[in-house]
Amino acid sequence: MHTNNQDILMMLAYPAFLAGYQTVDEALNDQLFSSYLSAFIEQDVMPFTDAQSDINQDEIRNQWLNQFATSTTTDPLVSLCFDGASKLPSLILPALLDLLAQNRDIHRMAFLLAAYGHYLSANVDDKGVSYEPNSAHLHRHDWAKVNSDNVVALLEISTMATARLHTYSHFVAMYKSYRTQIAKYGIVFLLKQMTYKRLAVQ
């Protein structure tokens, strides 16, 4: 699985934006989000890297964080969220499919896609601020899926359909549960629940 700083930023962009943050550094100053991102690096990135055995795991994690922290922390999250329909398939889906194939932990990936689906359909963040999602690669039939009462329809939009995520029953169940919780209680509530259950930080 090839992962770079753009993958890491995409993991942060939608959840942090929905929480009401405006920039990457604002989100990373929140321990909840920095722990979530660190967990992604440690659990979903580092196991696939060819790290030297004599390098401390904390050092490896910090190297990943430093790859983007110095130059992108002031990037507006609204820009990172732009056109996820074209970004997610190339940046995130290959990693998710690798995790599914190896029967590894997919909680954070399911959480991200649930956040993305909510971002497209909700038009208001956790703080009640309205926004207009912008995704140039979504066509009319894709928006019909986005706004469907069946949240699983999002997984079959044109840019994601080839991944056939709807065929992974355990992923679908997790994704649906996260969509429901985000809609009812908000992104921060769900992330706190994941942290409490050690799904985001284990």
Side-chain angles (χ1 to χ4, degrees):
M1 178 175 68
H2 176 70
T3 305
N4 56 39
N5 58 346
Q6 287 301 311
D7 299 57
I8 296 172
L9 287 174
M10 289 302 291
M11 289 297 296
L12 180 70
Y14 296 103
F17 179 83
L18 289 172
Y21 290 114
Q22 296 184 13
T23 63
V24 172
D25 58 338
E26 287 179 354
L28 291 180
N29 282 330
D30 184 330
Q31 182 63 37
L32 185 66
F33 284 91
S34 62
S35 295
Y36 156 71
L37 201 61
S38 292
F40 169 67
I41 294 171
E42 292 175 0
Q43 301 297 321
D44 304 329
V45 175
M46 287 168 51
F48 293 93
T49 61
D50 297 324
Q52 297 294 324
S53 59
D54 59 343
I55 299 179
N56 183 276
Q57 293 293 295
D58 288 338
E59 293 179 5
I60 300 172
R61 182 194 64 232
N62 290 336
Q63 287 175 9
W64 277 98
L65 288 171
N66 289 335
Q67 282 188 23
F68 66 90
T70 56
S71 60
T72 61
T73 54
T74 59
D75 282 0
L77 289 168
V78 66
S79 297
L80 294 175
C81 291
F82 177 77
D83 202 17
S86 66
K87 296 176 183 176
L88 288 173
S90 60
L91 294 176
I92 297 299
L93 289 188
L96 173 56
L97 291 174
D98 279 348
L99 293 172
L100 287 166
Q102 298 182 33
N103 198 30
R104 296 180 65 90
D105 183 10
I106 56 170
H107 289 89
R108 285 167 291 275
M109 293 291 191
F111 172 73
L112 170 65
L113 288 183
Y116 173 61
H118 187 78
Y119 161 82
L120 288 177
S121 60
N123 300 312
V124 62
D125 66 20
D126 276 11
K127 295 183 177 180
V129 178
S130 298
Y131 63 86
E132 183 175 349
N134 195 330
S135 196
H137 284 78
L138 288 180
H139 305 292
R140 182 177 299 178
H141 62 277
D142 291 320
W143 281 110
K145 291 182 173 67
V146 167
N147 295 314
S148 171
D149 290 337
N150 177 17
V151 296
V152 178
L154 173 80
L155 305 179
E156 299 181 46
I157 61 175
S158 56
T159 57
M160 295 173 60
T162 56
R164 297 182 56 80
L165 293 176
H166 65 282
T167 65
Y168 297 91
S169 58
H170 64 301
F171 171 80
V172 169
M174 192 180 301
Y175 162 80
K176 288 176 65 176
S177 174
Y178 289 169
R179 283 293 300 268
T180 298
Q181 292 181 68
I182 292 171
K184 286 186 176 181
Y185 307 114
I187 199 83
V188 171
F189 174 88
L190 175 56
L191 192 53
K192 286 181 178 179
Q193 292 299 305
M194 292 171 64
T195 302
Y196 176 74
K197 295 177 181 177
R198 300 192 63 79
L199 297 178
V201 298
Q202 66 182 3

